[in-house]
Amino acid sequence: RVLFRSRSFKEIQSLNMTASKINELSENNIIVLNEKQSLLKSKAIYGANASGKSNIVKALVSFIRIIKNSVKDEKVLDLIENFKLSVETENEPSFFQLIFEINKIQFRYGFEVTNKVIKSEWLFGVPNEREVCYFVRENNTIKDISKLHFEEGYKLLSIYNDSEGENEVFRSNSLFLSAVAAMNGKLSKQISNTISSITVLSGLQDKQLYNISGTNLRNEETKNKITDFLKIADVGINSLDIIEVVTNDELIKDAPTELIKKLEQGNKIGLVISTHDKFNSGKEKIGEANLQFLSSQSEGTLKMFEISSFLIQAIENGETLVIDEFDARLHPLISRKIVELFNSQGNNSAQLIFITHDTNLLSADLLRRDQIDFVEKDKYGESHLYSLVQFKGIRNSASFEKDYIKGKYGAIPFLGNFNQLFKTKKDA
C-alpha cells in the first residue's frame, strides 16, 4: 500500500493493493498471504487527461529514486514538487509512505521531504503482534531508535555522533535508512532493495528501455523468452538476436543516424536483428530475411519489445511493475492478454499497476472492483484517487465500461463542442 501527497495531490492519497473482502474473481486475481490478508495481482487506474494519473507514477519514481540515490546524489531532491495551487500547502513538504512485507514481517516506511531537505523519516514494523518503532527522525535529528529492532542504525549513529550524543543524522538532504544501507546494514539494505525492485515504465517510446531489452538478448534464455513473447503477440518475426556491427555492414544502412555516428567514431554497437520468412513470387517460402529491427518494425511491436524484459522479470521474480500510458501503441487484445497474464494462476506474487484509457479492460470478467481505481481533478486543481469498490450497489453483472463512459463513477472529461472552433461567418 502506497500513501503519498505530491504534485497535484493536495491531501494524502492511498494506492491500495490489499484485496477487499469481496467474492469476485478471487481465485486467480489475488495473492493470498495468510488467512487475514490477500493482495491484488493487478490494478488499473483511469481518469481524464490532466487529472493527475501520471503524477501517481511521478510520486513513485521520486520515492524510489530518493531511497536509491539520496546518499550519493545531493540533487535528487530536485524531483520533489508539492501542491502549488493553495496557500495552505505551497510550503508544505511532500509525503511518501509504503507498507510492505519482508520475510513475513510487515513494515511501514516513509518520509516527508521538500526539494531541499528531509523534514521527517520513520520506520515501523510488526515483528510479532504489535507494531513497534524502529526509528523516527525529525529534521536532522533521530528522536527515537530501537537498539533491539534496529541495531544496525543504533550502532552507526553511536559511532557517528560526538560524545554528547546529539543523535544527528549525516546530511539534511539524505535519508537515514539509505545511509545505514550504504554502510551494509542488513535490514536497511533489504528494505532499500525491496523498494528499489519496483520498476516504473513510461508507456511512450524510451530509448533506455529499448537498449535494456536489446542487451538482454545476449542471454540465450532471456532471448528465447522475449522472442516467444513477440511470437505470441503475432507480429510476424521468427527470431531475434543482437550482433556487433561495423561501418561497412549491410545491415546498418537503415540504422538510426545516432548509431551510425557512433560507428563512424570507432565505437562498437550492438544491433538488434529480426528474422522473417521470405517468399518467392508464387508465395512459396524460400528462406528467411534479416531486418534491422528498430527501423523495420511498427511502433506497437517496438513497445512490446521494450516492455517484454520487464514483464518477464516481474513474473519470474515476483516483483511490482508500474506502467504509465499502458495501452499506448498496443492493440486492445494485447493489453488484455498482459493483464490476464498477471491475473493468472501462473503468476504467484508479481503485481502490475497500470495507467490506462482503454475502457475495454473495464470488465467484471477481467478485473475485480477493487482492482479498478479512478483519478479525478476538482475545480480547485486537486487530484483525488478512489476505487470502484467504494461505490455501493455495484453488481458483479454491471457493465463497468458502459457505466464509466456515462460518468457514473466520475473521472471523465466534461467536453465542450470542438465545432465551435470552426464557426463559419454564417454561423457567427
Side-chain angles (χ1 to χ4, degrees):
R1 182 180 179 185
V2 184
L3 293 97
F4 62 95
R5 179 183 64 232
S6 179
R7 294 180 178 267
S8 62
F9 294 93
K10 180 184 176 183
E11 305 295 337
I12 293 176
Q13 309 291 310
S14 175
L15 177 58
N16 195 352
M17 296 298 289
T18 303
S20 302
K21 302 296 182 181
I22 54 176
N23 296 318
E24 299 175 19
L25 300 172
S26 56
E27 183 178 351
N28 292 337
N29 291 44
I30 63 174
I31 303 161
V32 178
L33 297 181
N34 50 54
E35 293 181 358
K36 296 181 179 179
Q37 190 174 45
S38 297
L39 301 179
L40 300 171
K41 290 183 177 180
S42 62
K43 171 82 78 172
I45 302 176
Y46 288 85
N49 291 327
S51 62
K53 301 185 303 299
S54 291
N55 284 339
I56 299 173
V57 175
K58 290 174 182 177
L60 279 168
V61 168
S62 298
F63 180 59
I64 296 165
R65 285 186 181 173
I66 292 170
I67 291 171
K68 291 174 67 173
N69 301 322
S70 68
V71 170
K72 57 188 177 183
D73 183 359
E74 295 194 26
K75 294 185 178 180
V76 73
L77 300 190
D78 291 349
L79 292 166
I80 294 300
E81 183 179 324
N82 62 352
F83 188 75
K84 301 294 186 184
L85 302 182
S86 171
V87 294
E88 294 178 292
T89 58
E90 59 184 343
N91 296 315
E92 288 294 305
S94 293
F95 175 100
F96 305 95
Q97 179 174 270
L98 181 66
I99 300 172
F100 55 100
E101 187 175 288
I102 298 177
N103 297 329
K104 297 186 178 180
I105 298 177
Q106 181 174 287
F107 290 97
R108 178 167 63 89
Y109 173 70
F111 51 86
E112 289 184 298
V113 59
T114 70
N115 59 4
K116 297 186 182 299
V117 298
I118 310 293
K119 300 294 289 184
S120 63
E121 184 183 0
W122 57 89
L123 174 65
F124 290 83
V126 188
N128 297 305
E129 294 293 325
R130 299 175 59 185
E131 184 180 74
V132 298
C133 172
Y134 283 57
F135 77 86
V136 172
R137 163 190 185 170
E138 291 182 15
N139 294 312
N140 212 32
T141 303
I142 300 297
K143 290 292 187 180
D144 193 7
I145 189 165
S146 171
K147 184 178 181 180
L148 173 63
H149 297 291
F150 200 53
E151 184 180 9
E152 62 201 54
Y154 184 87
K155 285 183 176 179
L156 186 60
L157 202 61
S158 299
I159 295 170
Y160 174 80
N161 287 327
D162 56 31
S163 57
E164 295 181 4
E166 294 181 354
N167 275 3
E168 290 190 355
V169 294
F170 312 111
R171 280 203 336 258
S172 61
N173 60 353
S174 174
L175 293 171
F176 181 58
L177 181 85
S178 301
V180 180
M183 300 302 291
N184 292 316
K186 184 179 179 180
L187 177 59
S188 300
K189 287 184 72 174
Q190 282 183 317
I191 292 172
S192 179
N193 290 340
T194 297
I195 297 173
S196 298
S197 71
I198 300 172
T199 301
V200 183
L201 307 181
S202 168
L204 304 177
Q205 189 167 12
D206 187 325
K207 291 180 182 178
Q208 185 178 5
L209 302 186
Y210 182 89
N211 292 337
I212 291 171
S213 287
T215 300
N216 286 339
L217 292 177
R218 300 182 190 279
N219 179 286
E220 191 69 22
E221 184 179 352
T222 305
K223 179 179 75 173
N224 291 336
K225 288 176 180 176
I226 293 174
T227 302
D228 288 344
F229 176 77
L230 293 183
K231 282 182 177 179
I232 292 170
D234 191 29
V235 297
I237 70 165
N238 295 336
S239 63
L240 284 172
D241 211 340
I242 186 167
I243 62 172
E244 299 289 340
V245 293
V246 293
T247 50
N248 61 351
D249 197 308
E250 177 70 15
L251 285 167
I252 74 162
K253 65 181 182 180
D254 295 322
T257 304
E258 61 188 61
L259 294 184
I260 295 175
K261 285 183 178 179
K262 286 183 179 180
L263 283 171
E264 291 173 345
Q265 293 168 359
N267 297 313
K268 287 185 177 181
I269 65 167
L271 204 62
V272 178
I273 302 299
S274 57
T275 303
H276 305 255
D277 290 337
K278 190 172 184 177
F279 302 89
N280 62 17
S281 58
K283 306 298 182 182
E284 297 174 326
K285 181 180 175 180
I286 58 172
E288 292 183 322
N290 293 328
L291 301 178
Q292 200 276 103
F293 188 71
L294 185 59
S295 64
S296 65
Q297 301 302 317
S298 70
E299 292 293 310
T301 300
L302 291 176
K303 177 175 179 178
M304 283 186 283
F305 174 70
E306 290 162 8
I307 67 175
S308 59
S309 293
F310 302 95
L311 293 170
I312 293 166
Q313 176 182 302
I315 294 290
E316 290 187 337
N317 299 334
E319 296 175 351
T320 299
L321 179 62
V322 183
I323 306 181
D324 194 7
E325 300 289 350
F326 173 65
D327 52 301
R329 298 188 282 138
L330 291 183
H331 191 280
L333 291 178
I334 292 175
S335 301
R336 185 182 178 94
K337 286 295 182 184
I338 292 173
V339 178
E340 287 177 347
L341 171 64
F342 276 83
N343 285 344
S344 69
Q345 289 183 332
N347 171 26
N348 295 320
S349 56
Q351 293 177 297
L352 173 67
I353 301 170
F354 58 98
I355 312 294
T356 183
H357 291 288
D358 186 356
T359 59
N360 292 292
L361 303 177
L362 276 173
S363 172
D365 64 357
L366 178 66
L367 297 170
R368 295 157 45 106
R369 284 176 294 145
D370 52 3
Q371 288 182 286
I372 301 170
D373 280 10
F374 302 104
V375 180
E376 186 169 63
K377 185 176 284 187
D378 64 25
K379 63 181 180 180
Y380 304 106
E382 300 176 33
S383 296
H384 304 274
L385 176 66
Y386 54 95
S387 174
L388 178 57
V389 80
Q390 295 173 234
F391 288 81
K392 304 299 181 183
I394 306 296
R395 296 182 179 181
N396 299 347
S397 59
S399 173
F400 299 159
E401 179 182 16
K402 186 182 295 183
D403 288 344
Y404 173 62
I405 294 297
K406 287 181 178 179
K408 186 172 182 178
Y409 312 132
I412 61 171
F414 294 97
L415 303 175
N417 186 352
F418 287 126
N419 291 333
Q420 292 179 349
L421 297 172
F422 306 101
K423 283 184 175 181
T424 64
K425 290 182 179 179
K426 184 178 179 180
D427 295 327

